[in-house]
Amino acid sequence: MSVAIRPLIDALQRYDAVTAEEQAVIEALPRTERTYANGADIVSEGDRPVQSCLVLEGYAIRTQVLEDGERQITAIHIAGDFVDLPSLLLKTIDHGVAALGPCRVALFPHDALRQLTDQHPHLTRLLWLSTLVDAAIHRNWIAGMGRRLAIDHLAHLVCELYTRLQSRGLVDGPSFPFPATQAELGDILGFSTVHANRTLQDLRKLGLVRWEAGRITIEDYNELAARSGFNPAYLNLQREPR
Amino acid sequence: MSVAIRPLIDALQRYDAVTAEEQAVIEALPRTERTYANGADIVSEGDRPVQSCLVLEGYAIRTQVLEDGERQITAIHIAGDFVDLPSLLLKTIDHGVAALGPCRVALFPHDALRQLTDQHPHLTRLLWLSTLVDAAIHRNWIAGMGRRLAIDHLAHLVCELYTRLQSRGLVDGPSFPFPATQAELGDILGFSTVHANRTLQDLRKLGLVRWEAGRITIEDYNELAARSGFNPAYLNLQREPR
DNA sequence: CGATAGCTTGACTCACGTCAAGCCCGGTGG
DNA sequence: CCACCGGGCTTGACGTGAGTCAAGCTATCG
């Protein structure tokens, strides 16, 4: 039972030391576990959730559906990410959360989390920090969408995912699972499905990545990072007093 | 002296009641005031700030410069916004903060803010919330850049700015100051300068906005909001227990 | 062994970028 | 007072990155 929560503690440990007492506080949090199938809604747009959702295994995405029915994915969350923590304070949620591939999550009631923020300032800062890193990732997506060519935007995304997964021990050498279809890749990057396909092929032809059967393999990280200007500093993966 | 800090308290009051005691805590925070000229750097990319910056008057922007020298503006901050609060926890800052037009700010040392987070959980939650609203704004920019036509993306921005300024009492009827050049508008929306100009003209020709001499006047808010799918819910401007 | 979801390709269109020139206006200095 | 300058705005001509439409292909699964 206390095993289930490990991904969160490990994620926070990357930012700053989490004391044994703080770990016990996290492990004592009431929670329920749930598994969602690929594509299932975890939180629907417009809900007022009374609990927050942490990814234990797999991927969750935030999605926004626009007036004309087009969809934009605004964030990708990996195991250890507290996807829906903002709903603790942001009462109105204007986007949905869905499973990308099969996804196991833990749900924490808001009152228990709020109590934690009343009693444990350092843990609160670490949770706050995790939402600030999400915002830093958002800003990098904005820069990519506004100013990068399609191929470099995609290259940057691959570097970002690789680095985030790697920091949690979720990669196999240069390769990691990523169960998105090309239509979903388009929704992530802001491309049409056709253009997502062509851009992927361009990266393949350059010998930079392989992407098949729900798995990405990086063939030349240095070139990917160089051409897309990827610099992992914004992910704040160094341990510092926070 | 206690007047200077009013914009922050007013901003937080929009989210939830701030008690007299909490107001006193904010007013007691040590701080210095500074004024920057149009375009001046407030925080440079790569700095490790030891203080956080609140906008008192005018506008501040976050900017990211890409490998090829192109610039993307990733956020616009108005009076009452705690622009640089993330640097309290996010030790590595991968973007710059600059003045858009003349800008007056207050600078708060990090150790005082950290102490506040140790002692005042409710205030901490409100500050946290303000950074969560920033992230929600980022997600809407992502959706706009990825999925909206230029003209609707611009219309959405105008609605967003108007609503945020209005919630702080910073508009004159349908009109508000906005000292960006068209080149800067392009950097905000991810357009070339030429396209920013043409898109603006399209909005003008439709009779939806006027934009002259550093001032935006909304001529038809309903149509702007309708065509761009603007829904202010994500700004979380209702008072709720947080 | 169809059915279906996902991938790939080609042909064509269009939104937006680039390049280049001209205009307007306020500021500066002779 | 006027010539000059530069920043910002506007316009036209043209190129290109990405979208759309449509079809065929491939793999998986009941």
Side-chain angles (χ1 to χ4, degrees):
Chain A
M1 185 270 231
S2 71
V3 173
I5 216 70
R6 211 58 231 176
L8 174 59
I9 293 170
D10 290 347
L12 298 181
Q13 291 273 23
R14 290 296 311 224
Y15 299 128
D16 187 9
V18 178
T19 66
E21 192 221 322
E22 287 172 334
Q23 296 190 29
V25 168
I26 293 177
E27 278 169 4
L29 283 171
R31 58 190 181 270
T32 55
E33 228 180 279
R34 279 209 59 177
T35 300
Y36 292 88
N38 179 26
D41 272 18
I42 299 175
V43 181
S44 302
E45 213 164 329
D47 274 11
R48 275 182 75 102
V50 295
Q51 46 191 5
S52 282
C53 144
L54 168 76
V55 181
L56 295 172
E57 205 180 343
Y59 297 85
I61 53 178
R62 289 163 194 266
T63 63
Q64 214 161 316
V65 176
L66 302 196
E67 40 299 357
D68 60 358
E70 286 208 277
R71 182 170 86 148
Q72 177 68 47
I73 293 173
T74 57
I76 301 170
H77 288 284
I78 69 173
D81 282 352
F82 220 137
V83 188
D84 203 28
L85 187 52
S87 74
L88 175 62
L89 299 176
L90 228 48
K91 304 295 179 182
T92 313
I93 294 295
D94 69 325
H95 57 265
V97 176
L100 181 67
C103 180
R104 199 161 56 83
V105 307
L107 299 162
F108 299 81
H110 280 175
D111 27 353
L113 292 173
R114 161 177 306 231
Q115 207 179 323
L116 183 152
T117 65
D118 273 332
Q119 296 169 351
H120 301 280
H122 180 246
L123 266 184
T124 302
R125 283 197 297 269
L126 291 185
L127 292 175
W128 182 358
L129 172 60
S130 75
T131 65
L132 292 172
V133 170
D134 287 345
I137 293 171
H138 290 153
R139 286 191 291 272
N140 272 273
W141 284 30
I142 289 171
M145 303 184 98
R147 293 301 188 204
R148 278 196 252 270
L149 286 175
I151 188 169
D152 296 331
H153 186 186
L154 173 56
H156 198 276
L157 175 73
V158 172
C159 290
E160 178 204 302
L161 286 173
Y162 179 76
T163 306
R164 290 169 61 193
L165 290 163
Q166 208 255 354
S167 82
R168 306 244 171 108
L170 298 170
V171 299
D172 308 316
S175 146
F176 56 90
F178 193 66
T181 66
Q182 293 186 3
E184 285 160 339
L185 180 63
D187 288 343
I188 292 165
L189 299 169
F191 301 164
S192 67
T193 304
V194 171
H195 199 61
N197 175 280
R198 291 189 163 122
T199 306
L200 236 187
Q201 288 184 57
D202 291 343
L203 266 196
R204 282 205 274 249
K205 275 173 206 146
L206 291 171
L208 302 182
V209 297
R210 295 207 316 273
W211 180 317
E212 60 231 344
R215 170 164 289 270
I216 296 177
T217 304
I218 294 183
E219 303 204 285
D220 187 343
Y221 175 85
N222 291 337
E223 177 59 18
L224 278 180
R227 70 171 305 145
S228 68
F230 178 74
N231 175 344
Y234 70 97
L235 297 171
N236 274 259
L237 295 169
Q238 318 76 31
R239 238 161 128 149
E240 311 222 20
R242 316 255 187 185
Chain B
M1 184 272 229
S2 72
V3 173
I5 216 68
R6 210 59 232 174
L8 174 59
I9 295 171
D10 290 346
L12 298 180
Q13 292 272 23
R14 290 297 309 226
Y15 299 129
D16 187 10
V18 178
T19 65
E21 191 221 323
E22 289 172 333
Q23 296 190 31
V25 168
I26 292 177
E27 278 170 6
L29 283 172
R31 59 192 180 268
T32 55
E33 229 179 279
R34 280 208 57 176
T35 302
Y36 293 88
N38 179 26
D41 272 17
I42 299 175
V43 181
S44 302
E45 212 164 330
D47 275 10
R48 275 183 73 101
V50 295
Q51 46 191 4
S52 283
C53 143
L54 167 77
V55 181
L56 295 173
E57 205 180 343
Y59 296 84
I61 52 177
R62 291 164 193 264
T63 63
Q64 212 160 318
V65 176
L66 302 195
E67 39 298 357
D68 60 357
E70 288 208 276
R71 182 170 86 147
Q72 176 68 46
I73 293 173
T74 57
I76 301 169
H77 289 284
I78 68 173
D81 283 352
F82 219 139
V83 188
D84 203 28
L85 187 53
S87 74
L88 175 62
L89 300 175
L90 227 48
K91 304 297 177 178
T92 313
I93 294 295
D94 69 324
H95 58 264
V97 177
L100 181 68
C103 179
R104 199 160 56 84
V105 307
L107 299 162
F108 298 81
H110 280 173
D111 28 351
L113 292 172
R114 163 180 302 233
Q115 207 179 324
L116 182 153
T117 66
D118 274 331
Q119 297 170 350
H120 302 281
H122 180 245
L123 265 184
T124 303
R125 283 197 298 268
L126 292 185
L127 291 175
W128 183 358
L129 172 61
S130 74
T131 66
L132 292 172
V133 170
D134 287 344
I137 293 171
H138 290 152
R139 287 191 291 273
N140 272 273
W141 283 31
I142 289 172
M145 303 184 98
R147 294 300 189 206
R148 279 196 251 269
L149 286 176
I151 188 170
D152 296 331
H153 186 187
L154 172 57
H156 197 277
L157 175 73
V158 172
C159 289
E160 179 204 304
L161 286 173
Y162 179 75
T163 306
R164 290 169 60 194
L165 290 163
Q166 207 255 355
S167 81
R168 306 245 171 106
L170 297 170
V171 299
D172 309 316
S175 146
F176 57 90
F178 193 65
T181 65
Q182 293 185 4
E184 285 160 341
L185 180 63
D187 288 342
I188 292 166
L189 299 170
F191 301 163
S192 66
T193 304
V194 171
H195 200 60
N197 174 279
R198 290 189 163 123
T199 306
L200 237 188
Q201 288 184 56
D202 291 343
L203 267 196
R204 284 204 272 248
K205 275 174 207 145
L206 290 171
L208 303 181
V209 297
R210 294 206 317 271
W211 180 317
E212 61 232 345
R215 170 165 288 271
I216 296 177
T217 304
I218 294 182
E219 304 204 284
D220 186 344
Y221 175 86
N222 290 337
E223 177 58 18
L224 278 181
R227 70 171 303 145
S228 68
F230 178 74
N231 174 346
Y234 70 98
L235 296 172
N236 274 260
L237 295 169
Q238 319 77 29
R239 237 161 130 149
E240 311 224 18
R242 315 253 188 186

mmCIF file of all heavy atoms in Angstrom, chain A residues 39-77:
data_model
loop_
_atom_site.group_PDB
_atom_site.id
_atom_site.type_symbol
_atom_site.label_atom_id
_atom_site.label_comp_id
_atom_site.label_asym_id
_atom_site.label_seq_id
_atom_site.Cartn_x
_atom_site.Cartn_y
_atom_site.Cartn_z
ATOM 1 N N GLY A 39 -7.364 6.590 -23.737
ATOM 2 C CA GLY A 39 -8.363 7.535 -24.215
ATOM 3 C C GLY A 39 -9.459 7.872 -23.224
ATOM 4 O O GLY A 39 -10.230 8.804 -23.453
ATOM 5 N N ALA A 40 -9.535 7.145 -22.114
ATOM 6 C CA ALA A 40 -10.614 7.398 -21.156
ATOM 7 C C ALA A 40 -10.459 8.767 -20.499
ATOM 8 O O ALA A 40 -9.346 9.229 -20.256
ATOM 9 C CB ALA A 40 -10.625 6.300 -20.093
ATOM 10 N N ASP A 41 -11.580 9.396 -20.215
ATOM 11 C CA ASP A 41 -11.572 10.664 -19.488
ATOM 12 C C ASP A 41 -11.274 10.428 -18.028
ATOM 13 O O ASP A 41 -11.928 9.591 -17.386
ATOM 14 C CB ASP A 41 -12.959 11.328 -19.580
ATOM 15 C CG ASP A 41 -13.063 12.202 -20.812
ATOM 16 O OD1 ASP A 41 -12.234 12.028 -21.725
ATOM 17 O OD2 ASP A 41 -13.968 13.049 -20.849
ATOM 18 N N ILE A 42 -10.337 11.172 -17.473
ATOM 19 C CA ILE A 42 -10.058 11.090 -16.040
ATOM 20 C C ILE A 42 -10.771 12.240 -15.333
ATOM 21 O O ILE A 42 -11.387 12.064 -14.289
ATOM 22 C CB ILE A 42 -8.532 11.114 -15.793
ATOM 23 C CG1 ILE A 42 -7.893 9.896 -16.478
ATOM 24 C CG2 ILE A 42 -8.227 11.139 -14.309
ATOM 25 C CD1 ILE A 42 -6.374 9.869 -16.421
ATOM 26 N N VAL A 43 -10.667 13.433 -15.910
ATOM 27 C CA VAL A 43 -11.426 14.584 -15.430
ATOM 28 C C VAL A 43 -12.072 15.215 -16.657
ATOM 29 O O VAL A 43 -11.412 15.402 -17.676
ATOM 30 C CB VAL A 43 -10.508 15.634 -14.766
ATOM 31 C CG1 VAL A 43 -11.329 16.801 -14.247
ATOM 32 C CG2 VAL A 43 -9.679 15.020 -13.648
ATOM 33 N N SER A 44 -13.355 15.520 -16.566
ATOM 34 C CA SER A 44 -14.013 16.119 -17.729
ATOM 35 C C SER A 44 -13.976 17.635 -17.646
ATOM 36 O O SER A 44 -13.993 18.210 -16.554
ATOM 37 C CB SER A 44 -15.464 15.654 -17.820
ATOM 38 O OG SER A 44 -15.487 14.250 -17.891
ATOM 39 N N GLU A 45 -13.946 18.252 -18.814
ATOM 40 C CA GLU A 45 -13.925 19.709 -18.887
ATOM 41 C C GLU A 45 -15.127 20.265 -18.124
ATOM 42 O O GLU A 45 -16.240 19.788 -18.283
ATOM 43 C CB GLU A 45 -13.985 20.129 -20.366
ATOM 44 C CG GLU A 45 -13.231 21.402 -20.659
ATOM 45 C CD GLU A 45 -12.977 21.601 -22.152
ATOM 46 O OE1 GLU A 45 -12.835 20.596 -22.877
ATOM 47 O OE2 GLU A 45 -12.911 22.776 -22.571
ATOM 48 N N GLY A 46 -14.863 21.276 -17.294
ATOM 49 C CA GLY A 46 -15.959 21.915 -16.592
ATOM 50 C C GLY A 46 -16.283 21.300 -15.233
ATOM 51 O O GLY A 46 -17.065 21.854 -14.482
ATOM 52 N N ASP A 47 -15.692 20.170 -14.920
ATOM 53 C CA ASP A 47 -15.899 19.574 -13.593
ATOM 54 C C ASP A 47 -15.394 20.494 -12.481
ATOM 55 O O ASP A 47 -14.572 21.365 -12.707
ATOM 56 C CB ASP A 47 -15.104 18.265 -13.473
ATOM 57 C CG ASP A 47 -15.881 17.069 -14.012
ATOM 58 O OD1 ASP A 47 -16.918 17.291 -14.642
ATOM 59 O OD2 ASP A 47 -15.427 15.927 -13.806
ATOM 60 N N ARG A 48 -15.917 20.252 -11.289
ATOM 61 C CA ARG A 48 -15.330 20.846 -10.071
ATOM 62 C C ARG A 48 -14.855 19.682 -9.225
ATOM 63 O O ARG A 48 -15.571 19.233 -8.331
ATOM 64 C CB ARG A 48 -16.374 21.640 -9.293
ATOM 65 C CG ARG A 48 -16.562 23.067 -9.760
ATOM 66 C CD ARG A 48 -17.575 23.769 -8.879
ATOM 67 N NE ARG A 48 -17.012 24.100 -7.583
ATOM 68 C CZ ARG A 48 -16.601 25.328 -7.250
ATOM 69 N NH1 ARG A 48 -16.717 26.314 -8.097
ATOM 70 N NH2 ARG A 48 -16.095 25.551 -6.060
ATOM 71 N N PRO A 49 -13.644 19.209 -9.482
ATOM 72 C CA PRO A 49 -13.183 17.989 -8.797
ATOM 73 C C PRO A 49 -13.068 18.213 -7.295
ATOM 74 O O PRO A 49 -12.812 19.318 -6.838
ATOM 75 C CB PRO A 49 -11.796 17.750 -9.395
ATOM 76 C CG PRO A 49 -11.682 18.639 -10.588
ATOM 77 C CD PRO A 49 -12.635 19.761 -10.375
ATOM 78 N N VAL A 50 -13.278 17.129 -6.519
ATOM 79 C CA VAL A 50 -13.080 17.183 -5.074
ATOM 80 C C VAL A 50 -11.868 16.354 -4.684
ATOM 81 O O VAL A 50 -11.593 16.131 -3.511
ATOM 82 C CB VAL A 50 -14.312 16.681 -4.299
ATOM 83 C CG1 VAL A 50 -15.484 17.619 -4.536
ATOM 84 C CG2 VAL A 50 -14.663 15.259 -4.716
ATOM 85 N N GLN A 51 -11.159 15.865 -5.697
ATOM 86 C CA GLN A 51 -9.911 15.159 -5.424
ATOM 87 C C GLN A 51 -8.930 15.476 -6.542
ATOM 88 O O GLN A 51 -9.316 15.939 -7.608
ATOM 89 C CB GLN A 51 -10.164 13.656 -5.303
ATOM 90 C CG GLN A 51 -11.035 13.091 -6.396
ATOM 91 C CD GLN A 51 -11.491 11.663 -6.101
ATOM 92 O OE1 GLN A 51 -11.234 11.134 -5.028
ATOM 93 N NE2 GLN A 51 -12.118 11.041 -7.071
ATOM 94 N N SER A 52 -7.651 15.226 -6.252
ATOM 95 C CA SER A 52 -6.616 15.500 -7.244
ATOM 96 C C SER A 52 -5.950 14.194 -7.618
ATOM 97 O O SER A 52 -5.816 13.286 -6.805
ATOM 98 C CB SER A 52 -5.565 16.460 -6.683
ATOM 99 O OG SER A 52 -6.049 17.776 -6.707
ATOM 100 N N CYS A 53 -5.465 14.152 -8.849
ATOM 101 C CA CYS A 53 -5.061 12.895 -9.441
ATOM 102 C C CYS A 53 -3.565 12.889 -9.745
ATOM 103 O O CYS A 53 -3.031 13.823 -10.322
ATOM 104 C CB CYS A 53 -5.916 12.716 -10.688
ATOM 105 S SG CYS A 53 -5.142 11.958 -12.058
ATOM 106 N N LEU A 54 -2.904 11.848 -9.272
ATOM 107 C CA LEU A 54 -1.462 11.663 -9.473
ATOM 108 C C LEU A 54 -1.255 10.481 -10.418
ATOM 109 O O LEU A 54 -1.890 9.445 -10.245
ATOM 110 C CB LEU A 54 -0.830 11.335 -8.112
ATOM 111 C CG LEU A 54 0.610 10.822 -8.099
ATOM 112 C CD1 LEU A 54 1.583 11.955 -8.340
ATOM 113 C CD2 LEU A 54 0.915 10.127 -6.779
ATOM 114 N N VAL A 55 -0.375 10.619 -11.395
ATOM 115 C CA VAL A 55 -0.108 9.492 -12.300
ATOM 116 C C VAL A 55 0.857 8.530 -11.619
ATOM 117 O O VAL A 55 1.918 8.930 -11.138
ATOM 118 C CB VAL A 55 0.519 9.967 -13.622
ATOM 119 C CG1 VAL A 55 0.758 8.780 -14.552
ATOM 120 C CG2 VAL A 55 -0.366 10.990 -14.306
ATOM 121 N N LEU A 56 0.480 7.260 -11.554
ATOM 122 C CA LEU A 56 1.363 6.238 -10.981
ATOM 123 C C LEU A 56 2.088 5.479 -12.079
ATOM 124 O O LEU A 56 3.222 5.021 -11.896
ATOM 125 C CB LEU A 56 0.546 5.246 -10.142
ATOM 126 C CG LEU A 56 -0.111 5.831 -8.898
ATOM 127 C CD1 LEU A 56 -1.038 4.807 -8.266
ATOM 128 C CD2 LEU A 56 0.951 6.275 -7.894
ATOM 129 N N GLU A 57 1.423 5.341 -13.233
ATOM 130 C CA GLU A 57 1.988 4.527 -14.293
ATOM 131 C C GLU A 57 1.313 4.933 -15.591
ATOM 132 O O GLU A 57 0.097 5.121 -15.624
ATOM 133 C CB GLU A 57 1.674 3.047 -13.995
ATOM 134 C CG GLU A 57 2.640 2.077 -14.612
ATOM 135 C CD GLU A 57 2.241 0.635 -14.259
ATOM 136 O OE1 GLU A 57 1.446 0.428 -13.312
ATOM 137 O OE2 GLU A 57 2.712 -0.275 -14.969
ATOM 138 N N GLY A 58 2.099 5.092 -16.640
ATOM 139 C CA GLY A 58 1.544 5.474 -17.933
ATOM 140 C C GLY A 58 1.571 6.979 -18.128
ATOM 141 O O GLY A 58 2.372 7.687 -17.495
ATOM 142 N N TYR A 59 0.693 7.467 -18.996
ATOM 143 C CA TYR A 59 0.665 8.886 -19.342
ATOM 144 C C TYR A 59 -0.738 9.448 -19.240
ATOM 145 O O TYR A 59 -1.714 8.770 -19.577
ATOM 146 C CB TYR A 59 1.129 9.090 -20.790
ATOM 147 C CG TYR A 59 2.559 8.680 -21.043
ATOM 148 C CD1 TYR A 59 2.892 7.369 -21.335
ATOM 149 C CD2 TYR A 59 3.577 9.627 -20.988
ATOM 150 C CE1 TYR A 59 4.208 6.999 -21.563
ATOM 151 C CE2 TYR A 59 4.903 9.266 -21.221
ATOM 152 C CZ TYR A 59 5.209 7.945 -21.507
ATOM 153 O OH TYR A 59 6.501 7.592 -21.731
ATOM 154 N N ALA A 60 -0.823 10.704 -18.786
ATOM 155 C CA ALA A 60 -2.092 11.429 -18.822
ATOM 156 C C ALA A 60 -1.871 12.736 -19.568
ATOM 157 O O ALA A 60 -0.777 13.299 -19.533
ATOM 158 C CB ALA A 60 -2.591 11.702 -17.404
ATOM 159 N N ILE A 61 -2.879 13.198 -20.279
ATOM 160 C CA ILE A 61 -2.773 14.451 -21.025
ATOM 161 C C ILE A 61 -3.878 15.410 -20.597
ATOM 162 O O ILE A 61 -4.955 14.985 -20.166
ATOM 163 C CB ILE A 61 -2.893 14.210 -22.545
ATOM 164 C CG1 ILE A 61 -4.161 13.407 -22.861
ATOM 165 C CG2 ILE A 61 -1.657 13.506 -23.084
ATOM 166 C CD1 ILE A 61 -4.385 13.176 -24.332
ATOM 167 N N ARG A 62 -3.583 16.708 -20.712
ATOM 168 C CA ARG A 62 -4.626 17.721 -20.560
ATOM 169 C C ARG A 62 -5.083 18.117 -21.946
ATOM 170 O O ARG A 62 -4.237 18.377 -22.815
ATOM 171 C CB ARG A 62 -4.075 18.994 -19.946
ATOM 172 C CG ARG A 62 -3.709 18.880 -18.524
ATOM 173 C CD ARG A 62 -2.822 20.050 -18.212
ATOM 174 N NE ARG A 62 -2.160 19.863 -16.952
ATOM 175 C CZ ARG A 62 -2.646 20.354 -15.805
ATOM 176 N NH1 ARG A 62 -3.740 21.077 -15.800
ATOM 177 N NH2 ARG A 62 -2.012 20.136 -14.689
ATOM 178 N N THR A 63 -6.368 18.200 -22.138
ATOM 179 C CA THR A 63 -6.860 18.531 -23.464
ATOM 180 C C THR A 63 -7.840 19.688 -23.389
ATOM 181 O O THR A 63 -8.553 19.856 -22.388
ATOM 182 C CB THR A 63 -7.610 17.344 -24.093
ATOM 183 O OG1 THR A 63 -8.751 17.058 -23.296
ATOM 184 C CG2 THR A 63 -6.728 16.116 -24.152
ATOM 185 N N GLN A 64 -7.858 20.463 -24.443
ATOM 186 C CA GLN A 64 -8.795 21.568 -24.544
ATOM 187 C C GLN A 64 -9.493 21.431 -25.890
ATOM 188 O O GLN A 64 -8.828 21.250 -26.910
ATOM 189 C CB GLN A 64 -8.011 22.882 -24.472
ATOM 190 C CG GLN A 64 -8.754 23.981 -23.784
ATOM 191 C CD GLN A 64 -7.814 25.085 -23.308
ATOM 192 O OE1 GLN A 64 -6.761 24.833 -22.748
ATOM 193 N NE2 GLN A 64 -8.189 26.311 -23.551
ATOM 194 N N VAL A 65 -10.805 21.476 -25.874
ATOM 195 C CA VAL A 65 -11.538 21.372 -27.134
ATOM 196 C C VAL A 65 -12.037 22.760 -27.503
ATOM 197 O O VAL A 65 -12.676 23.429 -26.694
ATOM 198 C CB VAL A 65 -12.703 20.380 -27.010
ATOM 199 C CG1 VAL A 65 -13.523 20.364 -28.295
ATOM 200 C CG2 VAL A 65 -12.169 18.985 -26.707
ATOM 201 N N LEU A 66 -11.725 23.197 -28.720
ATOM 202 C CA LEU A 66 -12.095 24.550 -29.125
ATOM 203 C C LEU A 66 -13.483 24.575 -29.750
ATOM 204 O O LEU A 66 -14.073 23.542 -30.032
ATOM 205 C CB LEU A 66 -11.067 25.108 -30.108
ATOM 206 C CG LEU A 66 -9.642 25.140 -29.569
ATOM 207 C CD1 LEU A 66 -8.770 26.035 -30.411
ATOM 208 C CD2 LEU A 66 -9.628 25.639 -28.136
ATOM 209 N N GLU A 67 -13.951 25.810 -29.971
ATOM 210 C CA GLU A 67 -15.306 26.038 -30.476
ATOM 211 C C GLU A 67 -15.621 25.222 -31.738
ATOM 212 O O GLU A 67 -16.712 24.682 -31.893
ATOM 213 C CB GLU A 67 -15.560 27.533 -30.702
ATOM 214 C CG GLU A 67 -14.459 28.422 -31.288
ATOM 215 C CD GLU A 67 -13.127 28.558 -30.510
ATOM 216 O OE1 GLU A 67 -12.996 27.981 -29.403
ATOM 217 O OE2 GLU A 67 -12.217 29.212 -31.044
ATOM 218 N N ASP A 68 -14.635 25.084 -32.633
ATOM 219 C CA ASP A 68 -14.897 24.377 -33.884
ATOM 220 C C ASP A 68 -14.672 22.865 -33.761
ATOM 221 O O ASP A 68 -14.682 22.155 -34.769
ATOM 222 C CB ASP A 68 -14.013 24.940 -34.999
ATOM 223 C CG ASP A 68 -12.540 24.783 -34.668
ATOM 224 O OD1 ASP A 68 -12.226 24.283 -33.565
ATOM 225 O OD2 ASP A 68 -11.700 25.146 -35.499
ATOM 226 N N GLY A 69 -14.454 22.392 -32.537
ATOM 227 C CA GLY A 69 -14.305 20.952 -32.340
ATOM 228 C C GLY A 69 -12.871 20.459 -32.424
ATOM 229 O O GLY A 69 -12.585 19.301 -32.134
ATOM 230 N N GLU A 70 -11.954 21.342 -32.821
ATOM 231 C CA GLU A 70 -10.552 20.919 -32.840
ATOM 232 C C GLU A 70 -10.050 20.749 -31.411
ATOM 233 O O GLU A 70 -10.526 21.391 -30.494
ATOM 234 C CB GLU A 70 -9.707 21.959 -33.582
ATOM 235 C CG GLU A 70 -9.941 21.882 -35.075
ATOM 236 C CD GLU A 70 -8.711 22.353 -35.828
ATOM 237 O OE1 GLU A 70 -8.555 23.583 -35.991
ATOM 238 O OE2 GLU A 70 -7.915 21.502 -36.253
ATOM 239 N N ARG A 71 -9.050 19.872 -31.288
ATOM 240 C CA ARG A 71 -8.541 19.575 -29.963
ATOM 241 C C ARG A 71 -7.090 20.008 -29.856
ATOM 242 O O ARG A 71 -6.317 19.857 -30.803
ATOM 243 C CB ARG A 71 -8.631 18.069 -29.720
ATOM 244 C CG ARG A 71 -8.164 17.656 -28.349
ATOM 245 C CD ARG A 71 -8.498 16.203 -28.087
ATOM 246 N NE ARG A 71 -7.453 15.334 -28.592
ATOM 247 C CZ ARG A 71 -7.130 14.163 -28.023
ATOM 248 N NH1 ARG A 71 -7.796 13.736 -26.974
ATOM 249 N NH2 ARG A 71 -6.181 13.432 -28.518
ATOM 250 N N GLN A 72 -6.718 20.560 -28.723
ATOM 251 C CA GLN A 72 -5.315 20.847 -28.456
ATOM 252 C C GLN A 72 -4.939 20.161 -27.157
ATOM 253 O O GLN A 72 -5.656 20.283 -26.158
ATOM 254 C CB GLN A 72 -5.073 22.353 -28.356
ATOM 255 C CG GLN A 72 -3.650 22.737 -28.001
ATOM 256 C CD GLN A 72 -2.657 22.416 -29.119
ATOM 257 O OE1 GLN A 72 -2.891 22.708 -30.270
ATOM 258 N NE2 GLN A 72 -1.534 21.794 -28.769
ATOM 259 N N ILE A 73 -3.839 19.438 -27.180
ATOM 260 C CA ILE A 73 -3.289 18.861 -25.960
ATOM 261 C C ILE A 73 -2.325 19.898 -25.396
ATOM 262 O O ILE A 73 -1.430 20.360 -26.098
ATOM 263 C CB ILE A 73 -2.581 17.530 -26.265
ATOM 264 C CG1 ILE A 73 -3.641 16.500 -26.697
ATOM 265 C CG2 ILE A 73 -1.800 17.033 -25.060
ATOM 266 C CD1 ILE A 73 -3.077 15.188 -27.195
ATOM 267 N N THR A 74 -2.528 20.282 -24.135
ATOM 268 C CA THR A 74 -1.718 21.369 -23.583
ATOM 269 C C THR A 74 -0.650 20.878 -22.611
ATOM 270 O O THR A 74 0.203 21.657 -22.203
ATOM 271 C CB THR A 74 -2.598 22.413 -22.855
ATOM 272 O OG1 THR A 74 -3.339 21.744 -21.836
ATOM 273 C CG2 THR A 74 -3.566 23.076 -23.813
ATOM 274 N N ALA A 75 -0.702 19.602 -22.244
ATOM 275 C CA ALA A 75 0.342 19.076 -21.366
ATOM 276 C C ALA A 75 0.346 17.557 -21.403
ATOM 277 O O ALA A 75 -0.692 16.932 -21.648
ATOM 278 C CB ALA A 75 0.143 19.560 -19.922
ATOM 279 N N ILE A 76 1.507 16.997 -21.178
ATOM 280 C CA ILE A 76 1.666 15.547 -21.081
ATOM 281 C C ILE A 76 2.226 15.264 -19.699
ATOM 282 O O ILE A 76 3.220 15.872 -19.296
ATOM 283 C CB ILE A 76 2.673 15.048 -22.137
ATOM 284 C CG1 ILE A 76 2.202 15.414 -23.536
ATOM 285 C CG2 ILE A 76 2.900 13.548 -22.006
ATOM 286 C CD1 ILE A 76 3.252 15.178 -24.607
ATOM 287 N N HIS A 77 1.596 14.348 -18.976
ATOM 288 C CA HIS A 77 2.078 14.033 -17.631
ATOM 289 C C HIS A 77 2.531 12.589 -17.534
ATOM 290 O O HIS A 77 1.885 11.693 -18.075
ATOM 291 C CB HIS A 77 0.990 14.341 -16.601
ATOM 292 C CG HIS A 77 0.786 15.804 -16.421
ATOM 293 N ND1 HIS A 77 1.663 16.584 -15.708
ATOM 294 C CD2 HIS A 77 -0.145 16.643 -16.911
ATOM 295 C CE1 HIS A 77 1.248 17.834 -15.737
ATOM 296 N NE2 HIS A 77 0.160 17.909 -16.465
#
